[in-house]
Amino acid sequence: MSERLQPGDVAPDFTLPDADGNEVSLSAHKGRKVIVYFYPAALTPGCTKQACDFTDNLDLLAGAGYDVLGISPDAPEKLGKFREKENLKVTLLADPDKKVLDAYGAFGEKMNYGKTYLGVIRSTIIVDEQGKVEKALYNVRATGHVAKIIKDLGI
């Protein structure tokens, strides 16, 4: 389990395939702010709610200078099905090796119904134009999280 990121840290760069298999790098977004959110699994209720919330607010976020990247351990094919089924507009990236999840502290011990296991920790990292962590939010809730981000960022 890796360390959680803190404001001021350099956000680890990454290159991951999107739902269409195209490579997307964090460094390609330099000069813009990026909301990188990590979620456990496509096509599940909480993750669907969160992805739909980001999609519904994408124009508002983009207008304020933010790009949104959603990362899960799902394969690109599953992300494509997720995008189509839910009409998602956010960029979904596949991290099946969990290397990026680990680098961002978004994979580790979780507890559910009294059992401890390893899994994706629902997290949101806001990266500034220079590639530094502006905010690092861990163990966030799927519902209401996007509205809270918008409020906290003053958008």
Side-chain angles (χ1 to χ4, degrees):
M1 194 166 100
S2 63
E3 291 291 310
R4 291 185 170 185
L5 297 176
Q6 301 294 323
D9 288 350
V10 173
D13 193 21
F14 57 79
T15 301
L16 293 171
D18 68 8
D20 299 313
N22 301 314
E23 303 230 314
V24 175
S25 297
L26 180 63
S27 56
H29 293 266
K30 205 146 195 159
R32 286 191 55 85
K33 293 183 178 193
V34 185
I35 296 171
V36 183
Y37 80 96
F38 297 92
Y39 63 99
L43 300 167
T44 58
C47 298
T48 297
K49 174 77 178 116
Q50 188 177 23
C52 288
D53 280 354
F54 272 117
T55 292
D56 292 346
N57 289 286
L58 201 56
D59 289 343
L60 177 69
L61 292 166
Y66 291 88
D67 295 334
V68 179
L69 303 174
I71 300 176
S72 75
D74 299 305
E77 301 77 34
K78 186 174 179 189
L79 297 179
K81 287 181 185 141
F82 187 35
R83 181 184 62 198
E84 301 312 312
K85 181 174 188 262
E86 303 298 337
N87 293 316
L88 300 175
K89 302 282 183 264
V90 292
T91 301
L92 301 174
L93 303 176
D95 184 21
D97 299 338
K98 302 178 187 75
K99 287 191 170 99
V100 177
L101 283 155
D102 201 43
Y104 277 75
F107 188 81
E109 277 192 6
K110 295 173 65 166
M111 187 173 278
N112 201 10
Y113 301 112
K115 293 198 186 311
T116 302
Y117 63 98
L118 288 178
V120 175
I121 298 164
R122 193 180 301 277
S123 311
T124 301
I125 310 299
I126 299 172
V127 181
D128 70 14
E129 298 91 337
Q130 285 76 43
K132 289 207 158 97
V133 175
E134 189 176 304
K135 290 183 184 289
L137 310 164
Y138 292 94
N139 294 311
V140 300
R141 296 194 172 280
T143 306
H145 179 59
V146 176
K148 183 177 178 344
I149 290 172
I150 290 168
K151 183 175 175 243
D152 289 352
L153 294 175
I155 299 172

